[in-house]
Amino acid sequence: MLTRNCSLLLLWFLMDKGLLSPLHSPPQGRLGKETPRSLLGLRRNGIQGFQRVKRGWVWNQFFVLEEYMGSDPQYVGKLHTDLDKGDSVVKYTLSGDGAGSIFTIDQTTGDIHALRSLDREEQPYYTLRAQAVDMETGLPLEPESEFVIKVQDINDNEPKFLEGPYTASVPEMSPVGTYVMQVTATDADDPTYGNSARVVYSILHGQPYFSVDPKTGVIRTALPNMDREVKELYQVLIQAKDMGGQLGGLAGTATINITLSDVNDNPPRFSKSIFHLKVSESSPLGSAVGRIKAHDLDIGKNAEVEYNIVPGDGGTMFDIATNEHNQEGIIVLKKLLDYETKKAYTFKVEASNAHLDPRFHNFGPYKDTATVKITVLDVDEPPVFSKPSYSMDVLEDTLVGTVIGAVTAQDLDAGSSHVRYSIDWKSDLDSYFDIDPVVGTISTNELLDREGIAQHNISIVATKVNNPVLTSKVAVTVHVLDVNEFPPEFVAPYEAFVCENARVGQVIHTVSAEDQDLPPAGQKFSFKSPAGDVKNRNFTVRDFGNNTAGIVASRSGFRRRLQETYLVPVAIEDGGPPVRSSTGTLTVRVCGCDSGGTLLSCSAEALFLPVGLSTGALIAILLCVVILLVIVVLYVGLRRQKKKETLMTSKEDIRDNVIHYDDEGGGEEDTHAFDMGTLRNPKAIKENGFRRDVKPEALPCPRLAAAAAAANATSATASATSNTSATSQDGGDIRDYICHRLEENDGDSSAPPYDSLATYAYEGEGSAAESLSSIESPGADGDEDYDYLSEWGPRFKTLAGIFGDQEPQAGMTENKH
């Protein structure tokens, strides 16, 4: 390259001295666009414009070395025109990229120099414009021409890996030449000039496992059967060198981390051939018995292991599952264990890969087996009932203490402890049942009633004697069976009717019955007329056989006027056992019906009302009747009031009025018991008044007594009074008393009329002989001996004398007869 540059400079020098001139002018290009005109011609002709002359530019392109390190400005080239005769008339000017700052030109000689070092990677070329002008006038001698100064490249940039560091992966066990990845290095030098940008790849570190293509940078495997389980990560150093890899070239490196990806090339392997496990016989279903593990050198899904129990004697009791996190095999309990039945189990477990690679089938079977021995540990267990639940039946009203069933539990442990039974009190709060603690028989403790509780659910507790903490429960259901204890009865209180025009044999009503008992297959009822009901010839009972019966008319011609209702007894029996029966009475009303049997009326009053009379008419008639009755009552009341006033104010003699005072006194010592006011008419009392009727004449006491006796012809009270007077005529005190009272009565203006009879039949209080009134004394008292009256003391002396005198008189009367 240096030789080339020297040749160019020598050629330039020869042309600049005139020793070498071009055979023809340079082709028009970027530096010559128009034919030059002679400045002298312009001057001679005096024409405004350029005269076409032959242009004498030497180059249209210059070169300059990049990264020039000299102390003087770098010479680039020389501009020269044919018009320049060396007499300093022509001046050269430069413009364009970097003119004045990067490039400068000698105005007289046309030499171009670079003022500073240039970098091709920053700008590979510069476009400038040059022109020759007259030194004196400044007018252009030729048109402006354009040329290029190109920066000539040197190898100053090393290759670079822009995307590093790199990572790659290749499956393990891959064959030689398996593609891994491709790397690319870039060189900033000019690829069109020399070998500065020609890169060659090589491996500095990573052999003999991998190789690289020197031209393309493709990395491939160099060794077969590289095993990830032996070495997983490889670090490869790649070098890229320019100048075609020759000496003096620049180089760059990159690191590639290559990982061997896993393939399923390893089977699972158990760490030991026999696993010993222990489990308690009381372990629940699904509980973990133990864990085993087969190790697989692969990773990811290639290391997934499936465990299976090889069919055998003990495999049916257990199951195995895989833990997805650590690939362990978890043995779980599939069936309940019993130490007394079997104490140990032995079976085989197989471990295999889930995802197989067909390339490695020839490596052998990808599975392994191991033996598992499980020992069952004995546990002190609670008693076990012979059944999971019990069901018992008992008839209601069963006698207290009757055994209805039994439960059985036993201890299955090796010690075989005794068992005691009890009833859980929470399940039998009312203590309906009792249980034998040793035998386990259940008996009734109370009378059972199915209608109250049809089913009892109790819990029986079995407890070990040597360990009372261990208990077990069992449910016992006691069904109370029904006993036929309730007689059947009508479903509802029936009330039927029969039409007056009913026919013989016509069913007038249908009845049904119900029973509080609950038979197992439905109750059966029968209906009939009672056995003793021979008088009822009007209706009969017909049993339909389906728990219903009909009431049938035995005759026709029913009449409401003769009898409105009939009572029909119906005897009902159930199916038993024992057979229960009852008699229900059906009330049958006689009603009026039309010819079709439709009910019209059942009331007896309807017989007397005209047919077709509406309800409004009936109400109007009843109101009229009530008004008439009220008018009659008022009229009669007014008439009676008028008659009373006439009686009180009439002056006629009224002799049929009898005022009867039937009061008794208080005895001989009672002076306050009798009140004369009771003999007076309170309506006729007036202060200091006189009688309005005829004033009676004053009669002697004997005459008044005789008149009173004569006036008592129609009065029973008066007769009793006259007998009393006759009996006590010898008693002066009584006679005086009566006369005195008669005088007071006659003198009283408010006393009854003069021809009225006043009776005085009374007794006093305190008499030991009770009532002595002749009114209450029977007629047979005359034969009674009254001598005992004289023994009662002086208070009864007068009375003893009166009755003592009557006895001789009675005897004389009998003698006369």
Side-chain angles (χ1 to χ4, degrees), residues 81 83-84 87-92 107-108 132-135 141:
T81 177
L83 299 178
D84 187 4
D87 52 2
S88 302
V89 177
V90 179
K91 182 178 69 173
Y92 297 93
Q107 295 181 358
T108 303
V133 298
D134 186 83
M135 181 70 74
L141 300 176

Side-chain angles (χ1 to χ4, degrees), residues 543-586:
D543 192 351
F544 293 147
N546 57 355
N547 288 346
T548 61
I551 308 301
V552 182
S554 301
R555 66 177 181 87
S556 59
F558 293 95
R559 295 293 180 269
R560 282 180 288 172
R561 296 180 180 179
L562 299 179
Q563 186 173 349
E564 184 179 359
T565 59
Y566 294 88
L567 299 179
V568 180
V570 179
I572 311 172
E573 292 184 352
D574 58 15
V579 177
R580 301 288 182 179
S581 63
S582 65
T583 300
T585 302
L586 182 68

Side-chain angles (χ1 to χ4, degrees), residues 335-649:
K335 296 181 181 180
L336 292 177
L337 301 174
D338 187 8
Y339 174 81
E340 288 72 26
T341 303
K342 194 171 183 179
K343 299 177 176 58
Y345 296 88
T346 301
F347 54 89
K348 290 186 177 182
V349 175
E350 181 181 82
S352 60
N353 281 137
H355 306 281
L356 298 179
D357 193 332
R359 295 179 299 171
F360 307 106
H361 284 174
N362 57 350
F363 283 21
Y366 279 77
K367 59 184 178 180
D368 193 14
T369 57
T371 301
V372 178
K373 291 186 177 181
I374 298 179
T375 303
V376 181
L377 302 178
D378 186 24
V379 176
D380 197 6
E381 298 175 308
V384 178
F385 285 94
S386 59
K387 296 181 180 179
S389 62
Y390 293 85
S391 178
M392 303 176 184
D393 297 333
V394 59
L395 292 173
E396 61 178 337
D397 298 335
T398 300
L399 296 178
V400 175
T402 302
V403 176
I404 63 175
V407 297
T408 303
Q410 58 181 345
D411 182 17
L412 301 180
D413 293 330
S416 186
S417 172
H418 294 288
V419 178
R420 292 295 180 264
Y421 305 94
S422 62
I423 298 177
D424 187 3
W425 65 273
K426 296 180 180 179
S427 63
D428 189 21
L429 296 176
D430 296 328
S431 300
Y432 284 103
F433 304 95
D434 195 4
I435 188 171
D436 190 300
V438 178
V439 182
T441 56
I442 301 175
S443 59
T444 59
N445 197 35
E446 297 286 345
L447 288 177
L448 304 179
D449 185 11
R450 188 201 64 81
E451 287 70 31
I453 302 177
Q455 177 177 306
H456 296 267
N457 298 313
I458 61 176
S459 297
I460 305 300
V461 181
T463 306
K464 294 179 67 171
V465 174
N466 60 0
N467 191 356
V469 179
L470 296 177
T471 62
S472 59
K473 288 185 180 181
V474 70
V476 178
T477 303
V478 180
H479 301 279
V480 182
L481 303 180
D482 184 45
V483 175
N484 194 19
E485 56 181 341
F486 292 96
E489 56 187 11
F490 282 138
V491 174
Y494 294 106
E495 185 173 357
F497 71 91
V498 61
C499 297
E500 290 182 322
N501 56 356
R503 302 182 306 276
V504 177
Q506 180 180 353
V507 178
I508 64 171
H509 198 75
T510 302
V511 297
S512 60
E514 64 180 359
D515 196 340
Q516 297 184 22
D517 296 315
L518 183 63
Q523 189 63 272
K524 178 67 176 178
F525 301 107
S526 60
F527 304 85
K528 62 182 179 179
S529 298
D533 188 20
V534 297
K535 296 181 181 180
N536 190 0
R537 301 300 181 184
N538 300 309
F539 303 95
T540 58
V541 179
R542 181 184 300 171
D543 192 351
F544 293 147
N546 57 355
N547 288 346
T548 61
I551 308 301
V552 182
S554 301
R555 66 177 181 87
S556 59
F558 293 95
R559 295 293 180 269
R560 282 180 288 172
R561 296 180 180 179
L562 299 179
Q563 186 173 349
E564 184 179 359
T565 59
Y566 294 88
L567 299 179
V568 180
V570 179
I572 311 172
E573 292 184 352
D574 58 15
V579 177
R580 301 288 182 179
S581 63
S582 65
T583 300
T585 302
L586 182 68
T587 301
V588 180
R589 297 174 60 87
V590 181
C591 302
C593 305
D594 58 11
S595 59
T598 304
L599 178 65
L600 296 178
S601 176
C602 288
S603 60
E605 291 79 3
L607 296 173
F608 303 99
L609 296 177
V611 180
L613 205 57
S614 64
T615 304
L618 294 175
I619 295 174
I621 292 173
L622 291 176
L623 289 176
C624 293
V625 172
V626 171
I627 293 172
L628 291 175
L629 291 175
V630 171
I631 293 173
V632 171
V633 171
L634 292 176
Y635 176 75
V636 173
L638 292 174
R639 289 292 302 273
R640 287 184 178 179
Q641 184 176 4
K642 186 176 181 181
K643 288 182 178 180
K644 287 181 180 180
E645 291 178 356
T646 305
L647 175 63
M648 298 300 295
T649 57

